[in-house]
Structures are given as structure tokens and as C-alpha cells.
Amino acid sequence: MTEKRVKSVLLDREAIREKISELGAEISRDYVGKEVLLICVLKGAVIFLADLVRHLDLPVQLDFMAVSSYGTATETSGVVRILKDLEGSIEGRHCLIVEDIIDSGLTLNYLQENLRSRRPASLKIVALLDKPERRQVEIEPDYVGFRIPDEFVVGYGLDFKDRYRCLPDICILGEDD
Ligand code: IMP
Ligand code: MG
């Protein structure tokens, strides 16, 4: 069996920590006086969520969604299926989708449409990573940690075939060897 290997570190833990603290401050300013429901997209965004919430100076609640998009290990097909839905209603609530990475944009495009139909008071997106070159549908996150080149990355929650999620740095995955 061929194995993909981590090639290099793209963003180290210190850079991630600093960026999340900035994002937390920005989001806290924008939502001042409001209560926010953070909607974490499983599984990739859990580590980002866990760090981000500790930089928010706001009353927050958490809920989780799991979606799967059909496709190969590194390419989505755009057909999205909900594997786990939110626990509660979002009607009239200020919702912030917490996502690990935006690639083609198809997953978030679907999620945004789906959640909008449930009539939240507001709906925004925070993505730790954005690969704008890969976009297939127009989708603009409200908050972005890092814009990165078109490389497949793992670590800090991001996986390849459910592996590498627990690496503390965000790394570029190499070719098979
Ligand atoms: P999109 O629908 O193409 O925007 O894909 C978004 C989803 O694909 C993300 O939530 C990730 O789960 C996955 N994904 C896209 N690019 C990467 C990557 O470089 N590393 C790991 N997962 C990725
Ligand atoms: Mg994901």
C-alpha cells in the first residue's frame, strides 16, 4: 500500500495560536451585546472551535453538524448529505458557522442555504483556512484565518482519510511514495 507523508509545515502552532486570538477579538467586537450560536462542522473544525471559543468574550452556545460530500479523498463532488443535524432550532438566533477549510465552497454553499431556510437572526461563517483558487461557487467567508495556496493540508483537525488530525501544526501532505 502506498502512503502519503507529511512534506512540510505550512502554519505552525504559534502562528495558529496568534491568528485565533486575533479572530476571537474581532468576532467578540462584532457581536458585542449578542449571544452567539457557534455551529461547528464535524469533524475537521473541532480543534479550531475548541481554541476559538476560549478567545471569545461573549455568551456562546455550541451545536454540531456533520456532513459528507461524495467524492474522492481529496476532491468533493458537491453532493452534500447531512449525517448529523443540529440539536436545536436556530430560528431568531445569531449563528456563526465554524469551518476548518473552504476549498471548492460547495459544502458551505449547501450548508448556508440549508441553515438560511431555518430563519436565523443572522448567519455568518468563520473559516480557519481558505483556498480561494479552488473555488467552484461564489462563497465569501466573513472571517478567515489564513488564505493558503492550492495544497492539500492536514493537521490541527484536518485529515486525509481520517488520519493526521491530531498534528499540532498545519502541514502539507506529500505525494505517495
Ligand atoms: P469544499 O466543499 O470543497 O469547500 O470542501 C470543504 C471540505 O473539504 C472541508 O470541510 C474539508 O473537510 C475538506 N478539505 C478541503 N480541502 C482540504 C485539505 O486541504 N485538507 C483536508 N481537508 C480538506
Ligand atoms: Mg470539513
Side-chain angles (χ1 to χ4, degrees):
M1 197 181 86
T2 55
E3 281 278 304
K4 285 190 187 289
R5 301 210 181 275
V6 167
K7 197 165 70 179
S8 57
V9 172
L10 180 67
L11 299 161
D12 67 21
R13 61 204 80 179
E14 191 52 35
I16 300 170
R17 200 193 60 75
E18 265 177 43
K19 184 62 76 178
I20 291 180
S21 138
E22 287 169 24
L23 280 174
E26 192 185 346
I27 294 169
S28 301
R29 275 196 305 273
D30 290 355
Y31 283 91
V32 78
K34 292 178 182 147
E35 197 166 353
V36 188
L37 176 69
L38 299 181
I39 299 177
C40 175
V41 186
L42 295 172
K43 304 173 193 168
V46 283
I47 294 178
F48 176 39
L49 173 84
D51 283 343
L52 181 66
V53 286
R54 286 176 284 177
H55 284 95
L56 294 179
D57 186 15
L58 294 169
V60 297
Q61 292 171 328
L62 308 180
D63 208 341
F64 298 85
M65 262 185 111
V67 295
S68 92
S69 50
Y70 293 97
T72 64
T74 60
E75 296 271 344
T76 175
S77 68
V79 181
V80 179
R81 187 165 54 114
I82 295 179
L83 302 177
K84 182 217 171 294
D85 207 342
L86 299 173
E87 236 171 61
S89 162
I90 62 169
E91 189 170 348
R93 301 169 77 181
H94 294 288
C95 298
L96 179 60
I97 302 175
V98 181
E99 178 60 302
D100 51 2
I101 187 165
I102 309 180
D103 186 50
S104 68
L106 291 162
T107 307
L108 268 179
N109 188 54
Y110 170 85
L111 265 184
Q112 207 179 28
E113 292 303 305
N114 182 290
L115 294 175
R116 265 200 195 123
S117 72
R118 307 183 196 190
R119 305 197 298 160
S122 67
L123 182 64
K124 287 192 181 184
I125 297 169
V126 55
L128 179 62
L129 304 175
D130 187 10
K131 290 198 269 193
E133 284 170 53
R134 301 257 309 165
R135 207 65 101 249
Q136 289 177 35
V137 287
E138 215 176 295
I139 187 144
E140 212 34 68
D142 300 277
Y143 307 95
V144 176
F146 302 93
R147 295 205 161 76
I148 63 166
D150 180 11
E151 300 271 11
F152 197 85
V153 290
V154 294
Y156 198 76
L158 292 135
D159 73 304
F160 174 71
K161 295 188 177 171
D162 229 13
R163 293 175 62 200
Y164 307 106
R165 288 191 199 280
C166 302
L167 298 175
D169 305 309
I170 294 174
C171 302
I172 296 177
L173 200 62
E175 294 307 307
D176 295 6
D177 58 17

